[in-house]
Amino acid sequence: MVRRGLQSFKDKKVVLLQGPVGPFFKNLGYDLENVGAEVYKINFNGGDWFFSSDKNIVNFRNHFDQWESYFTNFIETYNIDTVIFFGDCRKYHQVSHKVADYKGLDIGVFEEGYVRPDYITFEEFGVNGYSQLSRDPQFYKSLSEEEFLAPDPIPVGNTFWCMASHAVLYYFFSAVLYPVFHRYTHHRPLNPFETFYWIRSLWRKQYYKMKEYGMQMDLIEHHSKSYYLAPLQISTDAQVREHSDFSSVENFIERIIGSFSANAPKDTLLVIKHHPLDRGYHDYSSFIRRLAHHHNVATRVRYIHDQHLPSLLEHARGVVMINSTVGLSAIHHNAPVLACGTAIYDFEGMTYQGSIHSFWNAAETFKINRDLYHRFRGYVIRSNQINGSFYRCLNHSNLHSGVSW
């Protein structure tokens, strides 16, 4: 879909379902209309409604068990041929995907960028574990230069404050208009307390910045290539729920600390990094401390928050995670990766293919195929990455959505 560009939606009848928090889907609708598409938008809660336009809008206010028949009827009534939504693991979108696939419709799924920080993902059919990208190394080795060479992106810049302000408004209007959409169920609680979590996130960001002052420099100067980095996922992320064998983030932490204690070289550290978007919701400090004491590695396990990730990756002996775009960044910085979930980059030549227990000792000598990585990365950018952000417009974009196809 990215390769074909916006013009490929000319004369299409498109329905937009839930998008990222903020006005991105509203502005995307304007862009699609400008190239000749007929666009509809279905809202599920007050946040969706607040960030939608006033044209071809439908509010679904029934119970979830009525969604499949409602959506099927909607497609048939308006002769829809293209369905677009953000994230393919939300329960409304899972049903929508099943219906659209059965009807033979085009399905476009937005997600955070596979390549960070200057891209967003727009992939046909599915993303992450449901992506149809090849996992065969030979496919990428056989590409011509025209198929994997990609231009440098326009830098997006810092998006945190834009995203935070959009999130506060989204959850505020979801809470205020709850009586109108009271049958809707979200993957996070939709109430005014969500604003509290974002405020707490900002406070914790400053708190840990002071508390962890000097920790990164200590790791880089005194423990370079002697620590393993374990980036955590958001607690509610589909990478944990849908695309891994772990029941929770806590289950992942428990597994890696136990394996590290039993198998890693005694002169190494395990550095567990909190996910920045989960900062306001969870703090695993006491949980990690108890586990580390239980496994007799209290002095070898560190828990960090907002350190500079590229620097950490540059000096890590290895990186272990469920699945994250951090994995592709780690490979970029030549850090061996063990993906414990379903990842688009998890195949021979890119990541370690053995067990977590053997990874700790194998990481030091594991070699990444750099040519394969560059081919894979370039192909991904050309195939399903859009230069831009969901939350902040590029300076020179001429599109309402503020991106560059």
Side-chain angles (χ1 to χ4, degrees):
M1 284 185 166
V2 171
R3 283 177 182 261
R4 297 198 298 268
L6 270 174
Q7 289 296 328
S8 65
F9 292 96
K10 187 179 187 302
D11 298 325
K12 295 286 188 180
K13 292 190 176 182
V14 181
V15 59
L16 303 175
L17 303 182
Q18 264 187 345
V21 295
F24 181 81
F25 260 31
K26 177 175 72 173
N27 293 327
L28 174 66
Y30 295 147
D31 291 335
L32 293 172
E33 288 175 349
N34 286 342
V35 298
E38 186 176 332
V39 182
Y40 298 85
K41 175 71 170 69
I42 299 179
N43 299 320
F44 297 88
N45 60 53
D48 293 343
W49 173 85
F50 177 76
F51 284 113
S52 62
S53 67
D54 55 0
K55 182 180 178 183
N56 293 343
I57 298 302
V58 178
N59 298 316
F60 178 73
R61 298 169 54 200
N62 295 330
H63 289 288
F64 171 71
D65 58 11
Q66 296 175 279
W67 170 241
E68 183 171 352
S69 60
Y70 178 92
F71 187 60
T72 302
N73 183 64
F74 184 92
I75 287 173
E76 294 171 349
T77 300
Y78 294 98
N79 296 314
I80 299 298
D81 52 39
T82 305
V83 180
I84 295 175
F85 46 81
F86 175 76
D88 54 11
C89 289
R90 298 180 181 186
K91 65 178 187 178
Y92 290 89
H93 292 168
Q94 287 179 320
V95 171
S96 308
H97 191 287
K98 182 183 72 171
V99 172
D101 189 36
Y102 176 76
K103 292 284 188 180
L105 277 57
D106 288 334
I107 302 170
V109 186
F110 277 99
E111 185 55 273
E112 302 291 350
Y114 290 150
V115 180
R116 305 282 178 91
D118 298 317
Y119 294 97
I120 58 176
T121 298
F122 185 47
E123 192 166 1
E124 194 164 5
F125 189 77
V127 295
N128 293 315
Y130 299 129
S131 171
Q132 295 187 317
L133 281 169
S134 174
R135 269 72 160 184
D136 180 5
Q138 194 56 44
F139 171 81
Y140 300 101
K141 291 177 181 179
S142 64
L143 294 174
S144 64
E145 286 192 349
E146 290 76 13
E147 293 176 294
F148 72 85
L149 289 181
D152 292 333
I154 301 170
V156 169
N158 190 307
T159 62
F160 178 81
W161 294 103
C162 294
M163 179 173 57
S165 61
H166 292 337
V168 168
L169 286 170
Y170 185 88
Y171 285 107
F172 174 78
F173 280 97
S174 294
V176 169
L177 294 177
Y178 173 77
V180 179
F181 296 94
H182 65 278
R183 298 182 183 91
Y184 171 74
T185 53
H186 199 56
H187 55 283
R188 284 191 188 272
L190 282 180
N191 56 56
F193 291 108
E194 286 297 304
T195 303
F196 162 75
Y197 292 123
W198 280 90
I199 294 173
R200 185 165 71 175
S201 177
L202 295 174
W203 180 84
R204 282 180 173 174
K205 182 179 178 68
Q206 299 306 315
Y207 170 74
Y208 282 112
K209 183 178 181 179
M210 293 184 292
K211 182 180 179 181
E212 297 172 1
Y213 180 78
M215 187 178 292
Q216 178 171 298
M217 192 58 65
D218 177 61
L219 287 171
I220 291 173
E221 291 186 352
H222 301 114
H223 302 282
S224 180
K225 301 302 179 181
S226 295
Y227 66 85
Y228 304 91
L229 184 67
L232 300 181
Q233 272 291 358
I234 300 174
S235 56
T236 57
D237 199 289
Q239 303 306 322
V240 182
R241 295 182 289 105
E242 302 285 342
H243 301 307
S244 83
D245 295 328
F246 300 99
S247 59
S248 64
V249 171
E250 289 90 343
N251 181 220
F252 171 71
I253 295 172
E254 189 173 17
R255 190 96 59 93
I256 62 170
I257 290 180
S259 179
F260 172 79
S261 171
N263 301 285
K266 302 303 180 184
D267 61 344
T268 58
L269 303 177
L270 175 62
V271 180
I272 301 174
K273 186 182 184 302
H274 197 86
H275 196 291
L277 295 183
D278 211 29
R279 190 192 302 112
Y281 296 88
H282 293 86
D283 189 322
Y284 300 107
S285 298
S286 59
F287 180 72
I288 290 173
R289 191 161 48 246
R290 288 197 306 271
L291 280 175
H293 277 289
H294 175 74
H295 289 283
N296 299 313
V297 287
T299 60
R300 296 172 56 203
V301 175
R302 298 188 183 181
Y303 178 45
I304 63 174
H305 288 73
D306 291 296
Q307 306 298 326
H308 186 242
L309 186 58
S311 298
L312 291 173
L313 295 173
E314 193 74 35
H315 294 269
R317 177 178 291 199
V319 180
V320 56
M321 66 190 70
I322 295 177
N323 171 29
S324 170
T325 52
V326 175
L328 206 54
S329 298
I331 296 169
H332 179 79
H333 289 279
N334 215 32
V337 171
L338 174 69
C340 298
T342 305
I344 60 170
Y345 49 79
D346 186 20
F347 50 82
E348 188 72 41
M350 292 275 281
T351 59
Y352 180 70
Q353 297 296 294
S355 71
I356 186 172
H357 302 312
S358 60
F359 176 71
W360 311 107
N361 286 289
E364 188 173 21
T365 57
F366 179 77
K367 300 297 182 184
I368 298 166
N369 185 325
R370 303 305 300 174
D371 179 65
L372 177 62
Y373 160 69
H374 288 298
R375 287 170 173 269
F376 172 80
R377 184 179 184 275
Y379 181 82
V380 167
I381 290 173
R382 290 178 61 89
S383 298
N384 55 47
Q385 301 297 285
I386 298 174
N387 184 199
S389 166
F390 294 122
Y391 313 106
R392 178 178 178 177
C393 294
L394 294 176
N395 290 333
H396 303 294
S397 174
N398 59 357
L399 300 175
H400 291 280
S401 54
V403 298
S404 176
W405 286 67

